[in-house]
Amino acid sequence: MEFNQKTFEQLSRLSDDELTNLLAEQIRKKKENGTLGDFEKIMRIIIPMLNNDQRIRLTKIFQTIQNQ
């Protein structure tokens, strides 16, 4: 999963439900193939690029995924 400006724009257009489903699926796949650490590295790269509202949105989405 390579992230660039185009990817950010596409992801930002998704609803919270769509983004939750997409990220939950990616996390599930990474867990299954033992590469969850790669996803965590990607998140450490992405989070500093987000504004405060985007961080809050992402935090809520991850909380939703954890509660599923």
Side-chain angles (χ1 to χ4, degrees):
M1 199 185 300
E2 183 178 327
F3 286 93
N4 55 36
Q5 189 61 35
K6 184 178 178 180
T7 303
F8 281 123
E9 289 172 9
Q10 291 171 338
L11 292 173
S12 69
R13 288 187 206 115
L14 297 176
S15 70
D16 284 357
D17 288 338
E18 292 169 319
L19 192 54
T20 298
N21 292 335
L22 177 67
L23 289 174
E25 178 66 18
Q26 289 299 312
I27 290 169
R28 185 190 62 74
K29 287 179 182 179
K30 295 292 185 181
K31 279 183 179 179
E32 285 177 0
N33 67 18
T35 58
L36 189 58
D38 292 345
F39 187 79
E40 292 168 344
K41 288 176 191 173
I42 291 170
M43 294 313 299
R44 282 195 295 270
I45 293 169
I46 292 172
I47 290 173
M49 296 179 192
L50 303 176
N51 65 37
N52 193 48
D53 290 340
Q54 292 168 323
R55 283 188 193 116
I56 291 169
R57 180 179 178 211
L58 189 59
T59 299
K60 288 178 183 177
I61 288 168
F62 279 123
Q63 288 170 344
T64 301
I65 291 169
Q66 286 179 328
N67 294 331
Q68 289 181 346

